[in-house]
């Protein structure tokens, strides 16, 4: 059952005068965020472990593709994520100012889609770059395929990061942690199927692991988007509010933070 749209946003908890109370409040926010970050890292670890069981050649493909696309994604993630602190600030101020949360989210989503195109271009250019660097043909072809697939998943990955970061800024880190844990379970199941083959699917190795990652990123982005779209207090935060040129111009500070982070 969806949350009630008219529910007011929960105000931040008043700080406890005691150190123990502050530590408990901090842990309640930090622990789910640690789980989420570990869960994101677990995607790549699971891919590497399962590919090592398949063959060292496929593990080498993964080891060649992941650092190239990973560095591109790290820069893009900082660009879209650094400005989300403004959403937490607007929520803390409350009142009419809380409606700025929606504009921050919309700006970050637009930037995510634009940078997703950059990620796709990086994936498409990965093959020619590796060829120019003299990589052996037996690694070059599958690595180029993996880079293109990871490029297709760049925009969903960035959208998921933005939505997860906003949920955390709005005091909902446990929801994000639960979604990331479930995404890891799905990634492991798809890896088992795509890497080793079965049920009519050939053994795809590193290409299969890349497809698994791409599919899971798309699913996770949709789940986190839905959480924000239906969350209580969405009207107070203007999450479904209109967005246009004035809001984009007002997001200049948000984008400057992103550039600094990148």
């Amino acid at each position: 059952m969806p949350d009630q749209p008219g529910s007011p946003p929960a105000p931040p908890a008043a700080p406890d005068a005691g150190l123990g109370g502050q530590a408990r409040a901090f842990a309640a926010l930090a622990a789910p965020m640690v789980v989420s970050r570990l869960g994101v890292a677990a995607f790549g670890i699971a891919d590497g472990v399962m590919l090592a069981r398949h063959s060292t050649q496929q593990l080498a493909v993964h080891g060649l593709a992941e650092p190239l696309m990973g560095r591109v994604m790290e820069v893009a993630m900082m660009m879209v994520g650094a400005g989300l602190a403004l959403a937490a600030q607007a929520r803390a101020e409350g009142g009419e100012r809380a409606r700025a949360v929606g504009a921050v989210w919309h700006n970050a989503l637009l930037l995510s889609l634009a940078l997703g195109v950059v990620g796709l271009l990086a994936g498409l250019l990965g093959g020619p770059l590796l060829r120019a660097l003299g990589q052996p043909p037996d690694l070059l072809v599958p690595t180029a395929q993996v880079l293109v697939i990871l490029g297709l998943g760049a925009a969903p990955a960035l959208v998921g990061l933005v939505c997860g970061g906003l949920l955390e800024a709005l005091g909902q880190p446990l929801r994000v942690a639960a979604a990331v844990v479930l995404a890891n379970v799905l990634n492991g199941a798809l890896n088992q199927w795509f890497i080793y083959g079965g049920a009519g699917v050939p053994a795809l190795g590193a290409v299969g692991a890349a497809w698994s990652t791409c599919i899971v990123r798309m699913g996770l982005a949709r789940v986190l988007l839905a959480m924000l779209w239906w969350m209580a207090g969405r009207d107070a935060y203007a999450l479904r509010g209109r967005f246009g040129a004035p809001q984009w111009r007002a997001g200049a500070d948000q984008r400057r933070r992103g550039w600094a982070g990148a």
Side-chain angles (χ1 to χ4, degrees):
M1 182 176 180
D3 296 324
Q4 295 300 314
S7 303
D16 192 299
L19 182 60
Q22 293 179 14
R24 286 191 295 272
F26 178 79
L29 291 173
M33 293 176 69
V34 170
V35 171
S36 299
R37 302 310 182 271
L38 289 174
V40 172
F43 284 114
I45 295 172
D47 290 350
V49 170
M50 298 181 79
L51 285 169
R53 289 172 47 203
H54 182 278
S55 72
T56 55
Q57 193 260 0
Q58 291 300 307
L59 179 61
V61 170
H62 172 75
L64 193 57
E66 195 282 330
L68 291 174
M69 184 57 68
R71 303 301 74 77
V72 173
M73 291 302 297
E74 284 176 359
V75 174
M77 286 176 176
M78 287 304 301
M79 289 184 69
V80 300
L84 291 178
L86 294 173
Q89 179 180 335
R91 175 187 179 238
E93 293 176 3
E96 189 64 23
R97 176 64 181 144
R99 296 183 63 82
V101 170
V104 171
W105 184 39
H106 299 157
N107 271 309
L109 286 177
L110 286 175
L111 194 56
S112 296
L113 295 176
L115 291 172
V117 175
V118 175
L120 177 58
L121 290 175
L124 292 171
L125 293 173
L129 175 62
L130 292 173
R131 187 177 296 108
L133 293 174
Q135 296 301 310
D138 60 329
L139 291 180
L140 176 61
V141 173
T143 302
Q145 292 175 330
V146 168
L147 287 171
V148 172
I149 297 167
L150 293 178
L152 288 171
L158 294 172
V159 168
L161 171 75
V162 165
C163 294
L166 186 64
L167 282 164
E168 291 170 346
L170 297 180
Q172 302 288 335
L174 194 58
R175 290 188 176 193
V176 182
V180 172
V181 169
L182 290 176
N184 271 276
V185 173
L186 177 60
N187 184 62
L190 290 177
N191 270 353
Q192 183 69 32
W193 187 18
F194 292 164
I195 292 176
Y196 308 117
V201 175
L204 297 173
V207 171
W211 276 120
S212 174
T213 297
C214 185
I215 291 170
V216 170
R217 284 176 171 175
M218 291 177 179
L220 183 59
R222 293 188 66 176
V223 167
L224 295 174
L225 272 168
M227 287 182 181
L228 283 165
W229 192 253
W230 295 107
M231 75 174 291
R234 60 178 181 263
D235 291 341
Y237 293 132
L239 295 181
R240 297 188 183 182
R242 295 183 62 184
F243 183 79
Q247 290 85 354
W248 177 257
R249 288 193 295 268
D253 182 44
Q254 179 181 346
R255 291 188 294 276
R256 281 195 295 270
R257 291 171 182 246
W259 281 112

